[in-house]
Amino acid sequence: MDLQSVRWFLAVAEHGHVTNAASELRVSQPGLSRAIARLERELDAPLFDRVGRGVALSRYGRVFAEHARRLVAEEEAARRALAQAADPEHGEVSLAFLHTQGPSFVPGLIRRYRSDHPGVTFRLSQDRSERVAAMVLDGRADLAITSPRPAGPALAWRPLVTERLQLAVPTDHRLASRTRARARVRDVLDEPFVAFQEGTGLRAVTEELFGTCGARPRIAFEGEETSTVRGLVAAGLGVAIVAPPPAGEEIPGVRHLTLADPGGVRTIGLVWAPERTRPPVVEGFRAFVLERGRELERGGGLDGAAN
């Protein structure tokens, strides 16, 4: 079975007509018909049924079409990887990251990198920490920026920056008037809590902080994105532990208090699969991010992107 025949099969399936597919592919109709017949002989199954003047996928054809699309996608991915290897300045980096890193940290990194490498493009995915790690593990993402460190030896992880978390309270909350803008988890042990969904890094940190106080959070609402969690806090439906907002950004209805608890921090790191071959374009961005992490450790900042 050759991939050209597989592509031709998919074209016929899309058009539902051999003549129209042959016209698009710029091949003769008899040649296309013979190619489909050879493919059916190789698979020992009829792939199309006659429907009037056209054709439709048979029950066997529908099964094969799912696998055929994956075969073609794998070939395209291989060609893309080879093209990147030949021209690392014009490739694509697939980057997964946490929802909480969308407002500033990741855009800051990409902006800095593209200023010197304008031909590099990015395919971005946002999700919770466990899903972000899974994307790298199964090859859907080249790299990920996440917290906490993924479990197991299959993924490499390098810390980039450690940030102190904050307690988000409504502006009319009893703690909102504190001049030092600091709080501890024990200050809100008995209050309704707006938590991130299970499987997120901030949910794990929240439960650990409450556990240190010998308590469990009284979860009233759950959210997946920071904007949703803060919106519920602004509505007076509870308090929440969140990542700090971008520098200078005011969230209407919410007051942020720095958590003074020793465990009230999270470390954000870069994740990759060490056993997988990385195209030069991916390796270039990986090296750049790691160097920016060293700058942050030295206090060099990232144009506000460390928030």
Side-chain angles (χ1 to χ4, degrees), residues 61-301:
R62 289 193 295 271
V63 172
F64 180 65
E66 296 180 10
H67 297 275
R69 294 186 185 99
R70 286 198 290 268
L71 283 171
V72 171
E74 284 294 327
E75 186 209 25
E76 291 174 351
R79 290 183 182 277
R80 179 172 66 88
L82 290 172
Q84 289 175 353
D87 187 6
E89 291 296 319
H90 293 84
E92 180 184 81
V93 177
S94 176
L95 178 66
F97 55 97
L98 301 175
H99 289 292
T100 52
Q101 292 308 303
S104 58
F105 188 68
V106 168
L109 286 172
I110 292 175
R111 178 177 56 80
R112 286 278 299 272
Y113 190 70
R114 279 177 53 84
S115 66
D116 293 327
H117 308 274
V120 176
T121 60
F122 288 82
R123 179 158 47 91
L124 305 176
S125 303
Q126 289 179 270
D127 216 317
R128 62 182 67 177
S129 54
E130 61 182 10
R131 293 177 181 170
V132 162
M135 289 181 192
V136 178
L137 199 59
D138 63 21
R140 285 177 291 158
D142 300 313
L143 306 167
I145 295 176
T146 188
S147 176
R149 179 175 188 164
L155 295 175
W157 186 85
R158 182 78 61 82
L160 299 174
V161 61
T162 297
E163 59 185 9
R164 182 151 290 279
L165 300 175
Q166 298 190 344
L167 180 70
V169 302
T171 50
D172 60 355
H173 191 273
R174 58 185 174 82
L175 299 177
S177 60
R178 287 190 172 182
T179 56
R180 292 189 62 196
R182 293 173 68 84
R184 290 181 177 271
V185 169
R186 65 169 178 250
D187 295 330
V188 293
L189 288 181
D190 297 325
E191 299 200 20
F193 207 84
V194 182
F196 285 88
Q197 293 180 353
E198 291 188 8
T200 61
L202 284 175
R203 174 65 173 265
V205 171
T206 296
E207 293 181 347
E208 289 174 6
L209 287 169
F210 271 80
T212 300
C213 298
R216 292 182 61 83
R218 291 178 50 210
I219 298 176
F221 297 92
E222 290 184 328
E224 186 171 11
E225 297 188 2
T226 302
S227 58
T228 301
V229 170
R230 287 195 172 104
L232 292 169
V233 172
L237 299 175
V239 301
I241 291 175
V242 298
E249 181 177 333
E250 295 291 334
I251 311 298
V254 179
R255 177 79 192 282
H256 290 88
L257 307 168
T258 301
L259 276 181
D261 300 76
V265 297
R266 70 168 180 175
T267 299
I268 298 164
L270 182 69
V271 176
W272 66 93
E275 300 301 320
R276 185 176 299 123
T277 300
R278 292 181 296 277
V281 67
V282 174
E283 184 59 24
F285 183 68
R286 186 183 77 97
F288 166 82
V289 173
L290 294 179
E291 179 57 32
R292 296 291 80 75
R294 285 189 285 271
E295 287 183 9
L296 289 168
E297 288 180 346
R298 295 193 294 265

